[in-house]
Amino acid sequence: MSISQTPSLDCLIVPLFEGNLLLPQSVVVEVISRGDQSLVFSPPVKALPWLKGHFSWREQRLPVLSLMEVADAAQASRITRFLVVHNLYFDPQKAQQGPAFYAIEVRGIPHSIKIHRQDIRPWDAPAQSDDLIAMRVKASGVVCLIPHFERMAQRLGEHSDV
């Protein structure tokens, strides 16, 4: 069987501050530049370091998640994009699963890639403190983080009042 006949998945590789994020393309709704004047960004909640704030999007208030802790304020100002993503675990009957959409802060421009099974392999285990990261992989030669979508939904549901 040739590579063109093996199952594949359309993905996005997105630069973070350190490393890259690997996402199925189907979960990303929109890529928004931080300079977009329609954004109304609210400050982060200090007690929840993974929650970087909120912004208005299509008349909804979206939480903004950070998958990487950024201690350097100069680096934080270089955030150029937000990925608006579907909450894969959203159920309107279960508020504990969080909102239908949320945003992930990223640094660079996503680029698409078609991933075949043989193009991806486990890299190293995520650190214990990286509980929003499901796994680290090497995809087509690039080391990437795969988010833990279920855990993100749980956290957003637990803190939906923030």
Side-chain angles (χ1 to χ4, degrees), residues 54-66:
H54 297 83
F55 69 80
S56 296
W57 175 78
R58 298 185 185 177
E59 299 181 17
Q60 298 178 55
R61 184 175 182 250
L62 295 189
V64 178
L65 298 176
S66 175

Side-chain angles (χ1 to χ4, degrees), residues 76-119:
S77 67
R78 293 186 350 205
I79 298 171
T80 58
R81 310 267 186 275
F82 298 104
L83 299 182
V84 176
V85 298
H86 290 282
N87 180 345
L88 298 176
Y89 294 88
F90 176 73
D91 181 345
Q93 305 302 317
K94 298 178 181 177
Q96 71 271 18
Q97 292 303 317
F101 302 98
Y102 56 90
I104 299 173
E105 66 176 0
V106 297
R107 180 167 175 215
I109 299 171
H111 65 274
S112 61
I113 186 168
K114 188 173 288 289
I115 298 286
H116 293 87
R117 180 171 286 162
Q118 65 272 19
D119 295 335

Side-chain angles (χ1 to χ4, degrees), residues 49-50 66-69 125-133 136 151 155:
W50 52 270
S66 175
L67 298 179
M68 303 288 289
E69 277 306 303
Q128 287 287 343
S129 62
D130 292 341
D131 68 337
L132 294 181
I133 304 301
R136 295 183 201 292
R151 195 159 294 141
R155 284 232 182 135

Side-chain angles (χ1 to χ4, degrees), residues 22 118-123 136-144:
L22 180 66
Q118 65 272 19
D119 295 335
I120 193 164
R121 61 175 195 222
W123 193 244
R136 295 183 201 292
V137 297
K138 194 163 193 179
S140 294
V142 179
V143 176
C144 297

